């Protein structure tokens, strides 16, 4: 149980284009989903907390107009990287919390984004 | 500033030995404690959760929590080369908007 999927698993895009990443909880309802970014050999960095049906809460320093998050249902959250630049190249990982659980998060497999 | 601290390592142990990973946290209001394992290039995987003082065992893994000392540890018995990974400690408190506060991780290498 507690399986989270992400799509795509990797993507290459040109500078200035937008990329959408999907995060789905496959066998549970997730009232809260989280988006992280991880650069090589560095720790996880929380970008935003996404609650179903409401606006995402962004961490300090994360541009909400650049990283658009939508959590339209209890099983789906999306992250859109708008006007991507090479410095946005990173490993983007989503996680989901089971409704009513004690804060444990289950992670998707991640999306590796390369902006050329 | 709520913090979670771990030794970065690398911690190197021989195959079959016990690996001991430690984590301290600053927020006394913390209520939930987690250990995640992350292989290189992969996403984190939840391996243990603990909520009350004492020990919790699951297979070769034992998590230990001491809230008075603000300390949580993970023991891996009979370490295997496949246990070589980075182990992340994460802590949550009730009033934290459901976020986890993460340590930077301890790199473990199990040598055959």
């Amino acid at each position: 149980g507690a399986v989270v999927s992400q799509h795509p698993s990797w993507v290459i895009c040109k500078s200035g284009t937008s990329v959408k990443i999907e995060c789905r909880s496959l066998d549970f309802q997730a009232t809260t989903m989280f988006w992280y970014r991880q650069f090589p050999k560095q720790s996880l960095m929380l970008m935003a907390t996404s609650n179903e049906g409401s606006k995402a809460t962004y961490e300090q320093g994360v541009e909400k107009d650049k990283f658009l998050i939508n959590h339209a249902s209890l099983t789906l959250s999306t992250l859109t990287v708008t006007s991507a630049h090479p410095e946005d190249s990173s490993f983007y990982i989503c996680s989901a919390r089971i409704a009513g659980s004690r804060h444990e998060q289950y992670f998707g497999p991640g999306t590796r984004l390369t902006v050329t | 500033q709520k913090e979670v601290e771990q030794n970065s390592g690398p911690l190197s142990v021989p195959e079959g030995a016990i690996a001991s990973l430690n984590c301290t946290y600053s927020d006394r209001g913390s209520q939930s404690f987690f250990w995640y394992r992350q292989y290189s290039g992969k996403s984190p995987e939840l391996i243990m959760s603990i909520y009350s003082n004492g020990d919790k065992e699951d297979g070769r893994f034992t998590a230990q929590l001491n809230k008075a000392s603000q300390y949580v540890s993970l023991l891996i018995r009979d370490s295997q080369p496949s246990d070589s990974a980075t182990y992340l400690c994460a802590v949550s408190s009730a009033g934290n908007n459901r976020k986890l506060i993460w340590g930077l991780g301890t790199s473990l290498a199990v040598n055959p």
Side-chain angles (χ1 to χ4, degrees), chain A residues 36-53:
Chain A
Y36 292 85
R37 181 166 55 179
Q38 188 173 37
F39 293 106
K41 299 191 184 301
Q42 294 189 21
S43 188
L44 293 171
M45 188 196 83
L46 178 65
M47 299 175 67
T49 301
S50 166
N51 292 300
E52 185 265 338

Side-chain angles (χ1 to χ4, degrees), chain A residues 36-101:
Chain A
Y36 292 85
R37 181 166 55 179
Q38 188 173 37
F39 293 106
K41 299 191 184 301
Q42 294 189 21
S43 188
L44 293 171
M45 188 196 83
L46 178 65
M47 299 175 67
T49 301
S50 166
N51 292 300
E52 185 265 338
S54 62
K55 290 184 179 180
T57 302
Y58 290 82
E59 295 299 298
Q60 192 172 7
V62 178
E63 300 174 59
K64 62 179 67 176
D65 294 330
K66 180 170 183 62
F67 299 99
L68 302 178
I69 292 172
N70 184 281
H71 192 160
S73 77
L74 287 172
T75 59
L76 174 64
S77 177
T78 61
L79 168 68
T80 301
V81 182
T82 63
S83 187
H85 292 284
E87 57 265 31
D88 298 322
S89 299
S90 187
F91 190 41
Y92 291 86
I93 318 171
C94 73
S95 70
R97 190 177 75 90
I98 299 174
S101 71

